[in-house]
Amino acid sequence: MEEMMGFVTGNTNRQKLLEMLASKGDLETSSIAKNMHLAQPSVKRLVEELVEKNLIVEKAGKCSLTELGTTIERKVQNL
């Protein structure tokens, strides 16, 4: 759990993406790119990293938090 917290807090964009999904719900990568002011390839890489760590899932072009992602996002918010 601590390692996962470090993974998220070690990159501001990872943290912002988890916060955004927690507050807004499922989002398409294009919406994420627009809201975070990032290029689409950067968002794609960010999403891939978070999917690999089982923090988010991507289905039909939409991203959402997993149970683990929700838990980690809440813990990060409480830091």
Side-chain angles (χ1 to χ4, degrees), residues 15-24 73 76-77:
Q15 198 169 335
K16 284 180 183 175
L17 178 51
L18 291 183
E19 288 171 11
M20 188 184 309
L21 290 174
S23 66
K24 298 182 185 235
E73 192 277 330
V76 168
Q77 287 299 318

Side-chain angles (χ1 to χ4, degrees), residues 4-35:
M4 199 63 72
M5 297 267 301
F7 173 76
V8 171
T9 58
N11 181 298
T12 326
N13 286 332
R14 288 182 196 135
Q15 198 169 335
K16 284 180 183 175
L17 178 51
L18 291 183
E19 288 171 11
M20 188 184 309
L21 290 174
S23 66
K24 298 182 185 235
D26 298 358
L27 291 171
E28 294 180 355
T29 54
S30 58
S31 296
I32 293 168
K34 184 178 173 188
N35 285 311

